[in-house]
PDB file of all heavy atoms in Angstrom:
ATOM      1  N   VAL A 166       5.720  -2.885   6.629  1.00 88.00           N
ATOM      2  CA  VAL A 166       5.932  -1.819   7.618  1.00 88.00           C
ATOM      3  C   VAL A 166       6.832  -2.309   8.749  1.00 88.00           C
ATOM      4  O   VAL A 166       7.743  -1.602   9.197  1.00 88.00           O
ATOM      5  CB  VAL A 166       4.583  -1.330   8.188  1.00 88.00           C
ATOM      6  CG1 VAL A 166       4.795  -0.419   9.390  1.00 88.00           C
ATOM      7  CG2 VAL A 166       3.803  -0.595   7.108  1.00 88.00           C
ATOM      8  N   SER A 167       6.604  -3.531   9.225  1.00 87.00           N
ATOM      9  CA  SER A 167       7.396  -4.065  10.340  1.00 87.00           C
ATOM     10  C   SER A 167       8.863  -4.205   9.971  1.00 87.00           C
ATOM     11  O   SER A 167       9.738  -4.162  10.841  1.00 87.00           O
ATOM     12  CB  SER A 167       6.833  -5.413  10.794  1.00 87.00           C
ATOM     13  OG  SER A 167       7.090  -6.429   9.834  1.00 87.00           O
ATOM     14  N   LEU A 168       9.142  -4.368   8.669  1.00 86.00           N
ATOM     15  CA  LEU A 168      10.519  -4.524   8.195  1.00 86.00           C
ATOM     16  C   LEU A 168      11.098  -3.229   7.631  1.00 86.00           C
ATOM     17  O   LEU A 168      12.226  -3.227   7.130  1.00 86.00           O
ATOM     18  CB  LEU A 168      10.579  -5.609   7.117  1.00 86.00           C
ATOM     19  CG  LEU A 168      10.225  -7.034   7.557  1.00 86.00           C
ATOM     20  CD1 LEU A 168      10.197  -7.967   6.356  1.00 86.00           C
ATOM     21  CD2 LEU A 168      11.206  -7.545   8.599  1.00 86.00           C
ATOM     22  N   ASN A 169      10.317  -2.142   7.713  1.00 84.00           N
ATOM     23  CA  ASN A 169      10.762  -0.851   7.178  1.00 84.00           C
ATOM     24  C   ASN A 169      11.110  -0.926   5.693  1.00 84.00           C
ATOM     25  O   ASN A 169      12.044  -0.277   5.216  1.00 84.00           O
ATOM     26  CB  ASN A 169      11.984  -0.329   7.960  1.00 84.00           C
ATOM     27  CG  ASN A 169      11.666  -0.060   9.403  1.00 84.00           C
ATOM     28  OD1 ASN A 169      10.654   0.538   9.723  1.00 84.00           O
ATOM     29  ND2 ASN A 169      12.539  -0.502  10.292  1.00 84.00           N
ATOM     30  N   ARG A 170      10.343  -1.700   4.946  1.00 88.00           N
ATOM     31  CA  ARG A 170      10.595  -1.879   3.521  1.00 88.00           C
ATOM     32  C   ARG A 170       9.732  -0.878   2.749  1.00 88.00           C
ATOM     33  O   ARG A 170       8.650  -1.189   2.262  1.00 88.00           O
ATOM     34  CB  ARG A 170      10.267  -3.322   3.114  1.00 88.00           C
ATOM     35  CG  ARG A 170      11.013  -4.381   3.905  1.00 88.00           C
ATOM     36  CD  ARG A 170      12.373  -4.683   3.339  1.00 88.00           C
ATOM     37  NE  ARG A 170      12.241  -5.634   2.264  1.00 88.00           N
ATOM     38  CZ  ARG A 170      12.383  -6.959   2.430  1.00 88.00           C
ATOM     39  NH1 ARG A 170      12.669  -7.460   3.614  1.00 88.00           N
ATOM     40  NH2 ARG A 170      12.255  -7.756   1.399  1.00 88.00           N
ATOM     41  N   GLU A 171      10.211   0.352   2.649  1.00 86.00           N
ATOM     42  CA  GLU A 171       9.399   1.440   2.115  1.00 86.00           C
ATOM     43  C   GLU A 171       8.992   1.210   0.659  1.00 86.00           C
ATOM     44  O   GLU A 171       7.872   1.538   0.255  1.00 86.00           O
ATOM     45  CB  GLU A 171      10.141   2.762   2.266  1.00 86.00           C
ATOM     46  CG  GLU A 171      10.324   3.190   3.720  1.00 86.00           C
ATOM     47  CD  GLU A 171      10.935   4.566   3.843  1.00 86.00           C
ATOM     48  OE1 GLU A 171      11.346   5.129   2.802  1.00 86.00           O
ATOM     49  OE2 GLU A 171      11.012   5.085   4.961  1.00 86.00           O
ATOM     50  N   CYS A 172       9.890   0.653  -0.141  1.00 86.00           N
ATOM     51  CA  CYS A 172       9.544   0.416  -1.541  1.00 86.00           C
ATOM     52  C   CYS A 172       8.473  -0.654  -1.663  1.00 86.00           C
ATOM     53  O   CYS A 172       7.593  -0.567  -2.535  1.00 86.00           O
ATOM     54  CB  CYS A 172      10.788   0.012  -2.332  1.00 86.00           C
ATOM     55  SG  CYS A 172      11.951   1.369  -2.580  1.00 86.00           S
ATOM     56  N   ASP A 173       8.521  -1.659  -0.802  1.00 88.00           N
ATOM     57  CA  ASP A 173       7.478  -2.683  -0.805  1.00 88.00           C
ATOM     58  C   ASP A 173       6.151  -2.095  -0.334  1.00 88.00           C
ATOM     59  O   ASP A 173       5.085  -2.440  -0.860  1.00 88.00           O
ATOM     60  CB  ASP A 173       7.881  -3.860   0.092  1.00 88.00           C
ATOM     61  CG  ASP A 173       9.020  -4.675  -0.506  1.00 88.00           C
ATOM     62  OD1 ASP A 173       9.217  -4.606  -1.733  1.00 88.00           O
ATOM     63  OD2 ASP A 173       9.700  -5.381   0.250  1.00 88.00           O
ATOM     64  N   ILE A 174       6.217  -1.210   0.659  1.00 87.00           N
ATOM     65  CA  ILE A 174       5.004  -0.517   1.128  1.00 87.00           C
ATOM     66  C   ILE A 174       4.374   0.241  -0.031  1.00 87.00           C
ATOM     67  O   ILE A 174       3.166   0.162  -0.282  1.00 87.00           O
ATOM     68  CB  ILE A 174       5.339   0.456   2.284  1.00 87.00           C
ATOM     69  CG1 ILE A 174       5.786  -0.310   3.525  1.00 87.00           C
ATOM     70  CG2 ILE A 174       4.131   1.337   2.616  1.00 87.00           C
ATOM     71  CD1 ILE A 174       6.355   0.582   4.613  1.00 87.00           C
ATOM     72  N   ASP A 175       5.210   0.984  -0.752  1.00 85.00           N
ATOM     73  CA  ASP A 175       4.720   1.787  -1.868  1.00 85.00           C
ATOM     74  C   ASP A 175       4.092   0.911  -2.946  1.00 85.00           C
ATOM     75  O   ASP A 175       3.043   1.248  -3.512  1.00 85.00           O
ATOM     76  CB  ASP A 175       5.884   2.585  -2.450  1.00 85.00           C
ATOM     77  CG  ASP A 175       5.435   3.592  -3.493  1.00 85.00           C
ATOM     78  OD1 ASP A 175       4.730   4.529  -3.117  1.00 85.00           O
ATOM     79  OD2 ASP A 175       5.786   3.413  -4.673  1.00 85.00           O
ATOM     80  N   LYS A 176       4.705  -0.224  -3.229  1.00 83.00           N
ATOM     81  CA  LYS A 176       4.182  -1.119  -4.258  1.00 83.00           C
ATOM     82  C   LYS A 176       2.817  -1.675  -3.863  1.00 83.00           C
ATOM     83  O   LYS A 176       1.894  -1.746  -4.687  1.00 83.00           O
ATOM     84  CB  LYS A 176       5.163  -2.260  -4.510  1.00 83.00           C
ATOM     85  CG  LYS A 176       4.778  -3.150  -5.682  1.00 83.00           C
ATOM     86  CD  LYS A 176       5.886  -4.111  -6.032  1.00 83.00           C
ATOM     87  CE  LYS A 176       5.542  -4.902  -7.283  1.00 83.00           C
ATOM     88  NZ  LYS A 176       6.637  -5.823  -7.679  1.00 83.00           N
ATOM     89  N   VAL A 177       2.673  -2.060  -2.589  1.00 82.00           N
ATOM     90  CA  VAL A 177       1.392  -2.602  -2.121  1.00 82.00           C
ATOM     91  C   VAL A 177       0.305  -1.543  -2.193  1.00 82.00           C
ATOM     92  O   VAL A 177      -0.820  -1.794  -2.657  1.00 82.00           O
ATOM     93  CB  VAL A 177       1.526  -3.140  -0.684  1.00 82.00           C
ATOM     94  CG1 VAL A 177       0.160  -3.537  -0.128  1.00 82.00           C
ATOM     95  CG2 VAL A 177       2.466  -4.331  -0.649  1.00 82.00           C
ATOM     96  N   VAL A 178       0.623  -0.336  -1.738  1.00 81.00           N
ATOM     97  CA  VAL A 178      -0.370   0.737  -1.735  1.00 81.00           C
ATOM     98  C   VAL A 178      -0.775   1.116  -3.154  1.00 81.00           C
ATOM     99  O   VAL A 178      -1.960   1.288  -3.464  1.00 81.00           O
ATOM    100  CB  VAL A 178       0.166   1.964  -0.973  1.00 81.00           C
ATOM    101  CG1 VAL A 178      -0.781   3.142  -1.120  1.00 81.00           C
ATOM    102  CG2 VAL A 178       0.356   1.623   0.500  1.00 81.00           C
ATOM    103  N   ASN A 179       0.210   1.256  -4.043  1.00 81.00           N
ATOM    104  CA  ASN A 179      -0.105   1.596  -5.424  1.00 81.00           C
ATOM    105  C   ASN A 179      -0.970   0.523  -6.079  1.00 81.00           C
ATOM    106  O   ASN A 179      -1.890   0.826  -6.848  1.00 81.00           O
ATOM    107  CB  ASN A 179       1.178   1.784  -6.236  1.00 81.00           C
ATOM    108  CG  ASN A 179       1.879   3.082  -5.917  1.00 81.00           C
ATOM    109  OD1 ASN A 179       1.262   4.026  -5.430  1.00 81.00           O
ATOM    110  ND2 ASN A 179       3.181   3.136  -6.169  1.00 81.00           N
ATOM    111  N   SER A 180      -0.680  -0.736  -5.764  1.00 76.00           N
ATOM    112  CA  SER A 180      -1.484  -1.824  -6.305  1.00 76.00           C
ATOM    113  C   SER A 180      -2.920  -1.736  -5.823  1.00 76.00           C
ATOM    114  O   SER A 180      -3.869  -1.930  -6.587  1.00 76.00           O
ATOM    115  CB  SER A 180      -0.878  -3.177  -5.915  1.00 76.00           C
ATOM    116  OG  SER A 180      -1.687  -4.244  -6.342  1.00 76.00           O
ATOM    117  N   SER A 181      -3.083  -1.418  -4.534  1.00 72.00           N
ATOM    118  CA  SER A 181      -4.434  -1.328  -3.978  1.00 72.00           C
ATOM    119  C   SER A 181      -5.209  -0.168  -4.585  1.00 72.00           C
ATOM    120  O   SER A 181      -6.410  -0.249  -4.824  1.00 72.00           O
ATOM    121  CB  SER A 181      -4.367  -1.176  -2.453  1.00 72.00           C
ATOM    122  OG  SER A 181      -3.840   0.089  -2.089  1.00 72.00           O
ATOM    123  N   LEU A 182      -4.518   0.942  -4.865  1.00 73.00           N
ATOM    124  CA  LEU A 182      -5.183   2.097  -5.470  1.00 73.00           C
ATOM    125  C   LEU A 182      -5.614   1.794  -6.907  1.00 73.00           C
ATOM    126  O   LEU A 182      -6.708   2.165  -7.329  1.00 73.00           O
ATOM    127  CB  LEU A 182      -4.244   3.304  -5.444  1.00 73.00           C
ATOM    128  CG  LEU A 182      -3.907   3.867  -4.055  1.00 73.00           C
ATOM    129  CD1 LEU A 182      -2.871   4.967  -4.172  1.00 73.00           C
ATOM    130  CD2 LEU A 182      -5.162   4.381  -3.369  1.00 73.00           C
ATOM    131  N   LYS A 183      -4.750   1.094  -7.640  1.00 68.00           N
ATOM    132  CA  LYS A 183      -5.096   0.741  -9.010  1.00 68.00           C
ATOM    133  C   LYS A 183      -6.309  -0.190  -9.050  1.00 68.00           C
ATOM    134  O   LYS A 183      -7.121  -0.137  -9.957  1.00 68.00           O
ATOM    135  CB  LYS A 183      -3.902   0.062  -9.684  1.00 68.00           C
ATOM    136  CG  LYS A 183      -2.736   0.999  -9.977  1.00 68.00           C
ATOM    137  CD  LYS A 183      -1.578   0.238 -10.586  1.00 68.00           C
ATOM    138  CE  LYS A 183      -0.379   1.144 -10.812  1.00 68.00           C
ATOM    139  NZ  LYS A 183       0.775   0.378 -11.361  1.00 68.00           N
ATOM    140  N   ALA A 184      -6.383  -1.063  -8.032  1.00 61.00           N
ATOM    141  CA  ALA A 184      -7.486  -2.019  -7.996  1.00 61.00           C
ATOM    142  C   ALA A 184      -8.712  -1.447  -7.291  1.00 61.00           C
ATOM    143  O   ALA A 184      -9.691  -2.151  -7.079  1.00 61.00           O
ATOM    144  CB  ALA A 184      -7.032  -3.293  -7.284  1.00 61.00           C
ATOM    145  N   ASP A 185      -8.650  -0.164  -6.912  1.00 57.00           N
ATOM    146  CA  ASP A 185      -9.754   0.501  -6.223  1.00 57.00           C
ATOM    147  C   ASP A 185     -10.099  -0.194  -4.906  1.00 57.00           C
ATOM    148  O   ASP A 185     -11.261  -0.323  -4.535  1.00 57.00           O
ATOM    149  CB  ASP A 185     -10.993   0.571  -7.119  1.00 57.00           C
ATOM    150  CG  ASP A 185     -12.005   1.603  -6.587  1.00 57.00           C
ATOM    151  OD1 ASP A 185     -11.563   2.556  -5.917  1.00 57.00           O
ATOM    152  OD2 ASP A 185     -13.201   1.442  -6.843  1.00 57.00           O
ATOM    153  N   GLN A 186      -9.054  -0.657  -4.197  1.00 55.00           N
ATOM    154  CA  GLN A 186      -9.247  -1.273  -2.889  1.00 55.00           C
ATOM    155  C   GLN A 186      -9.251  -0.146  -1.852  1.00 55.00           C
ATOM    156  O   GLN A 186      -8.247   0.182  -1.238  1.00 55.00           O
ATOM    157  CB  GLN A 186      -8.099  -2.258  -2.595  1.00 55.00           C
ATOM    158  CG  GLN A 186      -7.990  -3.364  -3.623  1.00 55.00           C
ATOM    159  CD  GLN A 186      -8.523  -4.674  -3.079  1.00 55.00           C
ATOM    160  OE1 GLN A 186      -9.270  -4.692  -2.103  1.00 55.00           O
ATOM    161  NE2 GLN A 186      -8.147  -5.762  -3.701  1.00 55.00           N
ATOM    162  N   LYS A 187     -10.396   0.433  -1.614  1.00 54.00           N
ATOM    163  CA  LYS A 187     -10.488   1.644  -0.805  1.00 54.00           C
ATOM    164  C   LYS A 187     -10.101   1.443   0.647  1.00 54.00           C
ATOM    165  O   LYS A 187      -9.889   2.409   1.374  1.00 54.00           O
ATOM    166  CB  LYS A 187     -11.899   2.223  -0.899  1.00 54.00           C
ATOM    167  CG  LYS A 187     -12.244   2.763  -2.289  1.00 54.00           C
ATOM    168  CD  LYS A 187     -13.606   3.395  -2.316  1.00 54.00           C
ATOM    169  CE  LYS A 187     -13.858   4.096  -3.650  1.00 54.00           C
ATOM    170  NZ  LYS A 187     -13.701   3.237  -4.810  1.00 54.00           N
ATOM    171  N   VAL A 188      -9.990   0.208   1.055  1.00 54.00           N
ATOM    172  CA  VAL A 188      -9.560  -0.044   2.425  1.00 54.00           C
ATOM    173  C   VAL A 188      -8.174   0.533   2.680  1.00 54.00           C
ATOM    174  O   VAL A 188      -7.799   0.805   3.811  1.00 54.00           O
ATOM    175  CB  VAL A 188      -9.574  -1.557   2.724  1.00 54.00           C
ATOM    176  CG1 VAL A 188      -8.493  -2.278   1.947  1.00 54.00           C
ATOM    177  CG2 VAL A 188      -9.381  -1.816   4.228  1.00 54.00           C
ATOM    178  N   PHE A 189      -7.415   0.777   1.602  1.00 53.00           N
ATOM    179  CA  PHE A 189      -6.056   1.273   1.769  1.00 53.00           C
ATOM    180  C   PHE A 189      -5.938   2.791   1.672  1.00 53.00           C
ATOM    181  O   PHE A 189      -4.872   3.332   1.872  1.00 53.00           O
ATOM    182  CB  PHE A 189      -5.143   0.636   0.716  1.00 53.00           C
ATOM    183  CG  PHE A 189      -4.544  -0.654   1.170  1.00 53.00           C
ATOM    184  CD1 PHE A 189      -5.124  -1.851   0.817  1.00 53.00           C
ATOM    185  CD2 PHE A 189      -3.423  -0.679   1.970  1.00 53.00           C
ATOM    186  CE1 PHE A 189      -4.587  -3.048   1.248  1.00 53.00           C
ATOM    187  CE2 PHE A 189      -2.884  -1.866   2.404  1.00 53.00           C
ATOM    188  CZ  PHE A 189      -3.468  -3.052   2.050  1.00 53.00           C
ATOM    189  N   PHE A 190      -7.020   3.479   1.396  1.00 45.00           N
ATOM    190  CA  PHE A 190      -6.915   4.899   1.171  1.00 45.00           C
ATOM    191  C   PHE A 190      -6.490   5.661   2.426  1.00 45.00           C
ATOM    192  O   PHE A 190      -6.027   6.788   2.334  1.00 45.00           O
ATOM    193  CB  PHE A 190      -8.261   5.460   0.671  1.00 45.00           C
ATOM    194  CG  PHE A 190      -8.516   5.124  -0.776  1.00 45.00           C
ATOM    195  CD1 PHE A 190      -7.781   4.167  -1.433  1.00 45.00           C
ATOM    196  CD2 PHE A 190      -9.520   5.775  -1.464  1.00 45.00           C
ATOM    197  CE1 PHE A 190      -8.033   3.840  -2.763  1.00 45.00           C
ATOM    198  CE2 PHE A 190      -9.773   5.464  -2.801  1.00 45.00           C
ATOM    199  CZ  PHE A 190      -9.028   4.494  -3.444  1.00 45.00           C
ATOM    200  N   TRP A 191      -6.689   5.058   3.603  1.00 49.00           N
ATOM    201  CA  TRP A 191      -6.338   5.747   4.846  1.00 49.00           C
ATOM    202  C   TRP A 191      -4.880   5.598   5.226  1.00 49.00           C
ATOM    203  O   TRP A 191      -4.408   6.234   6.156  1.00 49.00           O
ATOM    204  CB  TRP A 191      -7.198   5.207   5.998  1.00 49.00           C
ATOM    205  CG  TRP A 191      -7.038   3.725   6.184  1.00 49.00           C
ATOM    206  CD1 TRP A 191      -7.764   2.732   5.609  1.00 49.00           C
ATOM    207  CD2 TRP A 191      -6.078   3.055   7.001  1.00 49.00           C
ATOM    208  NE1 TRP A 191      -7.322   1.504   5.994  1.00 49.00           N
ATOM    209  CE2 TRP A 191      -6.277   1.664   6.859  1.00 49.00           C
ATOM    210  CE3 TRP A 191      -5.051   3.502   7.843  1.00 49.00           C
ATOM    211  CZ2 TRP A 191      -5.506   0.715   7.517  1.00 49.00           C
ATOM    212  CZ3 TRP A 191      -4.266   2.555   8.507  1.00 49.00           C
ATOM    213  CH2 TRP A 191      -4.510   1.177   8.333  1.00 49.00           C
ATOM    214  N   LEU A 192      -4.139   4.785   4.506  1.00 50.00           N
ATOM    215  CA  LEU A 192      -2.748   4.533   4.885  1.00 50.00           C
ATOM    216  C   LEU A 192      -1.934   5.821   4.794  1.00 50.00           C
ATOM    217  O   LEU A 192      -2.094   6.608   3.866  1.00 50.00           O
ATOM    218  CB  LEU A 192      -2.148   3.446   3.997  1.00 50.00           C
ATOM    219  CG  LEU A 192      -2.805   2.082   4.122  1.00 50.00           C
ATOM    220  CD1 LEU A 192      -2.204   1.095   3.135  1.00 50.00           C
ATOM    221  CD2 LEU A 192      -2.642   1.546   5.531  1.00 50.00           C
TER     222      LEU A 192
END
């Protein structure tokens, strides 16, 4: 986020959703 790397943001969030890391659901 600090680097405005939107594709990297998307990759991290998608990874967290696949792994059921619910801490990321609020992003």
Side-chain angles (χ1 to χ4, degrees):
V166 169
S167 71
L168 296 174
N169 297 314
R170 304 274 277 265
E171 293 186 353
C172 289
D173 289 338
I174 293 170
D175 188 66
K176 187 170 185 178
V177 173
V178 173
N179 286 337
S180 176
S181 69
L182 293 175
K183 290 178 183 178
D185 197 27
Q186 301 255 19
K187 293 183 172 56
V188 69
F189 271 97
F190 284 15
W191 58 270
L192 297 176

